[in-house]
Amino acid sequence: MSDKKPEYIEDVGWRCETVHSQKRRKHMHRYYDIGTYMVTIVVEGREPVFGHIDGNIKARPTEPDYPATVLSPLGVKAVHEELPKIHAIYPMAEVWSLCVMPDHLHLIIRINAPLPPRKHLGTIVGAFKGGISRAWGNGPLFEDNYNDRILMRDGQLENWKNYLKANPYRWLVRHTHPELMRRALCIVIDGVRYGAFGDFMLLRHPEKVQVFFHRRMDDDRLTPEVRSRKIPTEQTVFWQKEHARLIEMAEDGDVMVTPGISECEKRIKNECLLQHYRLIHLQADPIGEYWKPEKGRFEACAAGSLLILAPWAEDQKGDTDYERFHNLNTLAASVCRLDALSAMRITAG
């Protein structure tokens, strides 16, 4: 007897959908109606059946040797035979963007008008997957289900188009310099478990400096006698001095360690990312098997200047977001205390 609970999908009916990590449909969203979606479908076992990545990671996006996917015969069929069928069968649906990777596909699909009765986004994706599997000829090709992201915010569509265009570049960087793009689902620092992504050698650096600022502090522009209120820290003389001191240390090669929560912490974090100063960034969001950083942090990883740490939810203290974010600064302090010898003993799981 299955323990899956059926869910009612409007105009579709009751369904017991297989729930996979990062493949859950948004509850109560009308997937048959007008909308824009970024869809990802993955080959079972991550077999590189659609081609291979080739190019020069130092080339600019406008240059002909910028990294791109060289399509296999199956990749050609997927793009030129199966993809056009989506609009041919469902004229209200358009594919606005496609990114073919060796072992998975990304599509941005626009539904311009409600789909026919009992049809929805999953119907379109399922038919597309089925057509490619038939072209493959060796049975089902893809993992069950798919991942979707609903694109709703201003600028979100262009951001994702640009992200997908650079996907082959990121793939080639990760495979050319795996030591800078290392991923671990579990490392342990001072008894706390983390997911991690980036250059692990930063943990061994002898000079790690915590970047920590309160959001507000006493107005140091006034004398103690008249100082009676707190102001944003970034407006204080203290911040100006500390900013100069920390950036000088970063320029000298010290590793900055911060979750980048308060405004001043964010400014230091962003400056490190932009200038490729060494940085260990703690984040609250988990790092999973297929997680990747966004453009700015990816480029910092590629430069060998960034390690991202994400403490396991079970190891984060606090019952509220405020308490958990505050705890990230406590964890940043423990990372700074990690000595090189202990860092060399860290094993990834």
Side-chain angles (χ1 to χ4, degrees):
M1 178 72 69
S2 172
D3 59 357
K4 299 173 185 174
K5 295 181 180 180
E7 179 180 1
Y8 185 79
I9 303 175
E10 191 172 352
D11 285 355
V12 176
W14 290 96
R15 292 290 185 271
C16 288
E17 184 179 28
T18 302
V19 177
H20 298 269
S21 176
Q22 299 185 359
K23 297 180 182 177
R24 300 173 179 87
R25 306 285 74 80
K26 185 175 182 180
H27 185 61
M28 300 302 291
H29 182 76
R30 303 194 301 184
Y31 282 96
Y32 63 86
D33 210 343
I34 296 172
T36 307
Y37 306 92
M38 208 282 283
V39 172
T40 301
I41 55 178
V42 179
V43 174
E44 185 70 45
R46 289 276 177 165
E47 291 294 322
V49 297
F50 295 123
H52 66 277
I53 306 294
D54 195 13
N56 180 2
I57 60 175
K58 296 183 179 180
R60 298 180 181 275
T62 55
E63 295 176 344
D65 57 343
Y66 186 70
T69 302
V70 180
L71 297 177
S72 67
L74 182 63
V76 171
K77 288 184 178 180
V79 173
H80 298 291
E81 296 181 17
E82 298 304 324
L83 191 68
K85 292 179 183 178
I86 292 178
H87 184 64
I89 298 173
Y90 299 100
M92 67 288 296
E94 296 180 308
V95 178
W96 280 1
S97 184
L98 170 69
C99 174
V100 180
M101 299 297 288
D103 56 8
H104 63 280
L105 304 171
H106 298 289
L107 303 89
I108 295 180
I109 300 176
R110 171 66 181 177
I111 298 177
N112 293 309
L115 292 165
R118 305 185 69 82
K119 304 298 182 182
H120 53 93
L121 178 66
T123 310
I124 296 175
V125 175
F128 179 59
K129 291 170 63 177
I132 299 176
S133 291
R134 287 189 293 274
W136 170 243
N138 294 318
L141 178 62
F142 297 98
E143 291 182 355
D144 292 341
N145 218 311
Y146 61 95
N147 179 55
D148 77 85
R149 180 184 294 268
I150 305 168
L151 306 184
M152 301 175 65
R153 299 191 304 274
D154 291 342
Q156 197 175 18
L157 175 61
E158 288 305 313
N159 286 340
W160 275 107
K161 283 183 177 179
N162 293 332
Y163 179 87
L164 296 184
K165 183 178 180 180
N167 230 12
Y169 160 78
R170 287 189 294 270
W171 188 98
L172 197 58
V173 170
R174 291 199 309 274
H175 287 75
T176 304
H177 300 287
E179 74 281 3
L180 305 180
M181 297 287 174
R182 188 179 170 196
R183 181 200 314 273
L185 300 183
C186 181
I187 64 172
V188 180
I189 301 174
D190 198 20
V192 176
R193 295 166 295 180
Y194 297 84
F197 188 99
D199 185 358
F200 284 57
M201 294 296 291
L202 295 178
L203 288 172
R204 303 183 184 183
H205 198 279
E207 297 292 343
K208 295 187 285 290
V209 181
Q210 183 179 10
V211 178
F212 173 59
F213 292 91
H214 292 288
R215 295 183 184 276
R216 304 178 74 86
M217 63 181 301
D218 291 336
D219 190 347
D220 54 7
R221 297 169 301 178
L222 304 175
T223 62
E225 291 76 15
V226 297
R227 191 179 298 160
S228 60
R229 63 186 179 91
K230 292 183 180 293
I231 62 171
T233 301
E234 62 271 19
Q235 297 178 14
T236 65
V237 175
F238 171 78
W239 155 249
Q240 296 175 10
K241 294 179 179 178
E242 281 298 288
H243 172 262
R245 182 181 72 87
L246 290 169
I247 292 303
E248 182 178 4
M249 297 174 75
E251 290 173 342
D252 287 341
D254 293 355
V255 179
M256 302 294 107
V257 182
T258 184
I261 297 171
S262 70
E263 177 61 28
C264 292
E265 293 168 12
K266 288 179 183 177
R267 292 186 183 189
I268 296 292
K269 179 200 76 173
N270 291 337
E271 195 163 348
C272 287
L273 292 174
L274 182 63
Q275 300 297 332
H276 292 168
Y277 299 144
R278 290 168 175 164
L279 172 68
I280 296 177
H281 180 217
L282 285 82
Q283 67 176 35
D285 294 336
I287 292 177
E289 185 177 0
Y290 301 127
W291 182 91
K292 291 178 290 187
E294 74 290 343
K295 181 175 183 291
R297 290 196 295 172
F298 184 92
E299 291 178 348
C301 287
S305 62
L306 177 63
L307 174 66
I308 303 166
L309 296 177
W312 282 24
E314 298 88 341
D315 291 354
Q316 293 192 49
K317 298 179 181 178
D319 298 325
T320 66
D321 286 343
Y322 174 82
E323 291 173 335
R324 285 187 287 271
F325 281 133
H326 184 73
N327 184 57
L328 288 177
N329 275 309
T330 301
L331 297 180
S334 70
V335 171
C336 288
R337 290 193 298 268
L338 183 68
D339 61 83
L341 185 60
S342 298
M344 292 178 65
R345 297 192 183 115
I346 289 178
T347 58

